[in-house]
């Protein structure tokens, strides 16, 4: 089999799918084929050789001009943020991820008829060296390779950056991470990880509530406060402030920088005096242990101590998180860090079910294709659109968050527009990149759109879009539910719990059981009449059996008036809106945790 490279260096140019991405690639740059599939090499490692051994090498990779990119760079010791641009000079220091957009085909080809190609650059670790990307005033994309130790030097690094390219940006990134996983063998791709059980539960973190002033009494107060309001936290993160640290007098003349609380030196991982208690014999005992035991017993919480190094030993089922590792590859846990008594329960009840569980989407949230390279914080025109998937539907969150962002000149978050305007955009089913994967075989592309905040329900034909207009800091959540054509007259789509943010996360299974062919109307039937409501005296055509988690108002779309609805063993009263096709009925609060109601809609 002939292996055809899709990434190559030709005449000093880095070429991807026939398009030059970087010009003026130096002779010391080395390309090594990486991930492949279907006879095409879609990925390559980039390396370099040097004339001298050093602990720090900063060198150009090539000139980037006129191609849109988005990147993630480390702007603080513990945080990353995004930056968009078109030129090498726009690439910030400490860039750890970069995605470039180009058009497939030979130079000079008509871009209108060329497919968009996405190329991802992932800087890597190689031995004791780490690589990051950055730009310079010549529009060169540079690599900074360093060991951090003047005694640790090298004159070559052949796998310091990985590139992968293709026509689906999400799959390009997915395959790139898998290729790096295979090469480095130091981590697992998210698809091979076991999801911690606490991800399906609501949690509370002590950080914003107390910072380092956390106490055992404050933790207990926070758990009680949330539980009393109907949003019981089922896992707990006790953040910094419980462990032993050094205590030194501060220099009154020192310039205190933001985040200076992290400069304290850890001296022990036992609880400090705030968490130590005395027993009946006035002997010191572990107050932290008592706090954990009480939290488990009285509030039914799972306890997660923020010590990443002890996860493998103490939590073999991967049931622990380190709050500062910021690992969102499982979609991230849902937790708040409110001060006790300072809660928005109207909002929390849209996130948290009465048993403390949450309706978690199945993937990490990702920007839609049309806003991958737009700056939703600074350009004054773009809405932020994020998509995700549930088991039976997709969801797109749309946000107007213009007006403030990290300033590369002032090195801080800055308000650059005091009064950002109202913005208008659109959403469509194709914004959910893998929606077809949960649709029935032969799906024609039609979807039901449920706007969670406004309550609007629309049947959207394939390719059509819904306009959305948002003022500053407003949002809307659009749930896209593929329409199932049961018969020539009857179509159905489950929506979910209408009063929850992630409405579609409540629907876990859908099964259509056909009863018989539908009866037609009395007399002659024309094609125009097939969209009207069928007679209530007809025999059932099908039963849609669902498994639904949670409680409250449940909604589904039916093109015809249902004959009846059942929740468990009980027939449920329901409402039907003939204009939108929305069927609604209520699910009671279940007695069991994580209970899935058997629901039937007979049409």
């Amino acid at each position: 089999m002939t292996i055809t490279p899709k990434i190559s260096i030709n005449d000093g140019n880095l070429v991807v799918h026939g398009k030059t991405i970087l010009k003026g690639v130096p002779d010391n740059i080395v390309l090594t084929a990486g991930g492949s599939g279907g006879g095409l090499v879609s990925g390559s490692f980039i390396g370099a050789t040097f004339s001298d051994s050093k602990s720090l090498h900063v060198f150009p990779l090539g000139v980037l001009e006129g191609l849109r990119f988005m990147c993630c760079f480390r702007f603080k010791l513990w945080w990353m943020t995004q930056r968009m641009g078109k030129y090498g000079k726009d690439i910030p220091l400490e860039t750890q991820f970069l995605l470039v957009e180009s058009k497939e085909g030979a130079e000079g080809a008509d871009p209108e008829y060329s497919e968009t190609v996405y190329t991802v650059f992932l800087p890597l670790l190689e031995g004791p060296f780490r690589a990051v990307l950055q730009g310079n005033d010549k529009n060169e994309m540079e690599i900074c390779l360093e060991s951090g130790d003047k005694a640790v030097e090298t004159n070559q690094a052949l796998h310091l950056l990985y590139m992968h390219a293709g026509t689906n940006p999400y799959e390009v990134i997915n395959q790139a991470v898998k290729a790096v996983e295979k090469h480095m063998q130091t981590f697992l791709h998210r698809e091979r990880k076991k999801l911690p059980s606490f991800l399906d539960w609501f949690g509370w973190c002590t950080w914003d509530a107390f910072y380092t002033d956390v106490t055992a009494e404050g933790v207990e107060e926070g758990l009680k406060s949330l539980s009393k309001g109907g949003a019981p936290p089922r896992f707990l993160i006790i953040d910094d402030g419980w462990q032993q640290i050094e205590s030194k007098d501060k220099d009154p003349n020192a310039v205190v920088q933001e985040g200076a609380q992290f400069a304290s030196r850890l001296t022990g991982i036992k609880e400090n005096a705030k968490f130590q208690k005395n027993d009946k014999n006035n002997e010191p005992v572990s107050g932290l242990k008592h706090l954990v035991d009480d939290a488990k017993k009285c509030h039914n919480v799972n306890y997660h101590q923020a010590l990443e190094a002890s996860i493998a030993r103490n939590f073999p089922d991967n049931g622990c998180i380190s709050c500062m590792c910021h690992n969102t590859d499982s979609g991230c846990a849902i937790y708040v860090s409110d001060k006790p008594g300072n809660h928005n329960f109207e909002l929390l009840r849209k996130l948290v079910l009465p048993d403390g569980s949450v309706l978690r989407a199945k993937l990490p949230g990702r920007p839609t294709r049309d806003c991958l390279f737009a700056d939703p914080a600074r350009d004054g025109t773009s809405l932020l659109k994020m998509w995700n998937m549930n088991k039976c539907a997709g969801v797109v969150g749309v946000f107007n968050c213009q007006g403030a962002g990290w300033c590369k000149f002032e090195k801080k978050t800055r308000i650059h527009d005091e009064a950002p305007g109202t913005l208008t955009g659109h959403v469509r089913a194709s914004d959910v990149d893998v929606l077809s994967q949960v649709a029935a075989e032969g799906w024609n592309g039609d979807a039901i759109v449920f706007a969670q905040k406004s309550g609007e329900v629309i049947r959207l034909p394939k390719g059509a879009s819904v306009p959305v207009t948002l003022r500053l800091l407003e949002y809307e959540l659009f749930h896209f539910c593929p329409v199932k054509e049961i018969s020539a007259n009857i179509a159905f789509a489950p929506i979910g719990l209408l009063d929850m943010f992630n409405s579609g996360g409540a629907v876990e299974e859908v099964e259509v059981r056909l009863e018989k062919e539908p009866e037609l109307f009395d007399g002659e039937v024309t094609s125009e009449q097939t969209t009207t409501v069928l007679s209530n005296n007809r025999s059932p055509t099908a039963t849609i059996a669902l498994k639904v988690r949670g409680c409250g108002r449940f909604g589904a779309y039916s093109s015809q008036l249902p004959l009846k609805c059942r929740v468990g063993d009980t027939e449920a009263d329901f409402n039907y809106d003939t204009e939108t096709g929305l069927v609604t009925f209520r699910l009671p609060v279940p007695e069991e945790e994580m209970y899935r109601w058997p629901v039937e809609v007979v049409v």
Side-chain angles (χ1 to χ4, degrees), residues 373-389:
F373 303 99
D375 191 337
R378 302 172 183 84
D379 66 14
T381 61
S382 301
L383 293 168
L384 174 62
K385 295 164 56 181
M386 304 289 291
W387 69 271
N388 211 319
M389 283 297 300

Side-chain angles (χ1 to χ4, degrees), residues 488-537:
N489 302 91
I490 301 176
F492 187 88
I495 297 174
L497 291 177
L498 304 182
D499 298 317
M500 301 296 287
F501 282 138
N502 189 21
S503 306
V507 182
E508 301 207 344
E509 292 181 19
V510 181
E511 179 187 359
V512 177
R513 298 195 291 263
L514 292 175
E515 305 290 345
K516 58 171 288 186
E517 289 299 315
E519 296 180 1
L520 298 179
F521 300 103
D522 296 332
E524 295 184 1
V525 179
T526 65
S527 60
E528 288 80 8
Q529 288 176 305
T530 58
T531 58
T532 61
V533 178
L534 292 173
S535 168
N536 282 338
N537 296 322

Side-chain angles (χ1 to χ4, degrees), residues 204-439:
W204 179 58
C205 173
T206 61
W207 181 245
D208 286 327
F210 302 110
Y211 295 104
T212 56
D213 295 327
V214 61
T215 63
E217 293 75 18
V219 172
E220 175 66 18
E221 183 183 1
L223 294 174
K224 285 182 178 179
S225 178
L226 284 165
S227 298
K228 185 178 179 181
R234 295 293 302 275
F235 72 86
L236 169 65
I237 301 172
I238 301 180
D239 213 306
D240 282 344
W242 62 269
Q243 62 279 71
Q244 296 172 347
I245 59 175
E246 67 178 353
S247 179
K248 290 185 176 180
D249 293 334
K250 294 183 179 180
D251 181 358
N253 299 317
V255 177
V256 179
Q257 298 180 358
E258 185 179 7
Q261 68 270 21
F262 294 104
S264 298
R265 183 180 296 276
L266 182 70
T267 59
I269 58 172
K270 288 186 176 182
E271 68 268 36
N272 55 37
K274 293 182 296 181
F275 286 86
Q276 291 174 349
K277 306 291 181 182
N278 290 338
D279 62 12
K280 60 183 180 181
N281 297 321
N282 207 30
E283 294 292 330
V285 295
S286 173
L288 191 60
K289 181 179 184 303
H290 282 293
L291 173 64
V292 172
D293 290 344
D294 288 344
K296 289 180 177 180
K297 180 180 178 180
C298 302
H299 300 284
N300 201 19
V301 304
N302 298 303
Y303 171 70
H304 298 288
Q305 192 170 313
L307 289 176
E308 192 170 8
S310 69
I311 292 175
R313 181 177 69 253
N314 296 318
F315 298 91
D317 65 344
N318 203 27
C320 182
I321 61 174
S322 167
C323 66
M324 290 308 288
C325 75
H326 307 296
N327 190 337
T328 59
D329 64 359
S330 298
C332 193
I334 296 177
Y335 63 90
V336 295
S337 194
D338 299 345
K339 290 184 177 180
N342 187 18
H343 314 292
N344 183 344
F345 286 111
E346 181 181 357
L347 181 147
L348 289 177
R349 279 190 282 269
K350 297 176 182 178
L351 279 171
V352 189
L353 294 169
D355 63 358
S357 66
V358 296
L359 302 177
R360 178 178 57 85
K362 301 306 173 187
L363 299 173
R366 285 171 273 199
T368 58
R369 288 199 194 201
D370 59 351
C371 70
L372 272 175
F373 303 99
D375 191 337
R378 302 172 183 84
D379 66 14
T381 61
S382 301
L383 293 168
L384 174 62
K385 295 164 56 181
M386 304 289 291
W387 69 271
N388 211 319
M389 283 297 300
N390 291 303
K391 288 185 177 180
C392 302
V395 57
V396 176
V398 187
F399 311 87
N400 183 346
C401 47
Q402 291 285 344
W406 179 257
C407 178
K408 63 181 179 181
F409 302 108
E410 298 182 16
K411 306 298 182 186
K412 65 179 181 179
T413 300
R414 182 176 69 87
I415 297 175
H416 55 266
D417 187 345
E418 295 286 350
T422 298
L423 299 179
T424 297
H426 63 268
V427 292
R428 51 170 55 99
S430 59
D431 285 335
V432 183
D433 193 69
V434 293
L435 185 61
S436 61
Q437 294 181 8
V438 299

Side-chain angles (χ1 to χ4, degrees), residues 3-10 13-19 21-22 30-35 40-46 117-121 161-166 172 176:
I3 303 297
T4 306
K6 285 291 187 178
I7 300 174
S8 60
I9 297 177
N10 299 328
N13 296 326
L14 179 64
V15 180
V16 177
H17 286 235
K19 174 72 174 181
I21 302 297
L22 299 178
V30 180
L31 208 61
T32 304
L40 301 177
V41 177
S42 301
S44 293
F45 290 95
I46 289 183
V117 174
Y118 303 89
T119 305
V120 65
F121 293 78
L161 184 146
Y162 182 72
M163 291 177 57
H164 205 93
V172 164

Side-chain angles (χ1 to χ4, degrees), residues 64 67-71 84-87 90-91 99 373:
L64 174 66
L67 296 178
R68 295 199 303 173
F69 73 81
M70 69 85 63
C71 68
M84 287 72 175
K86 288 186 176 181
Y87 299 91
D90 300 326
I91 303 174
L99 185 70
F373 303 99

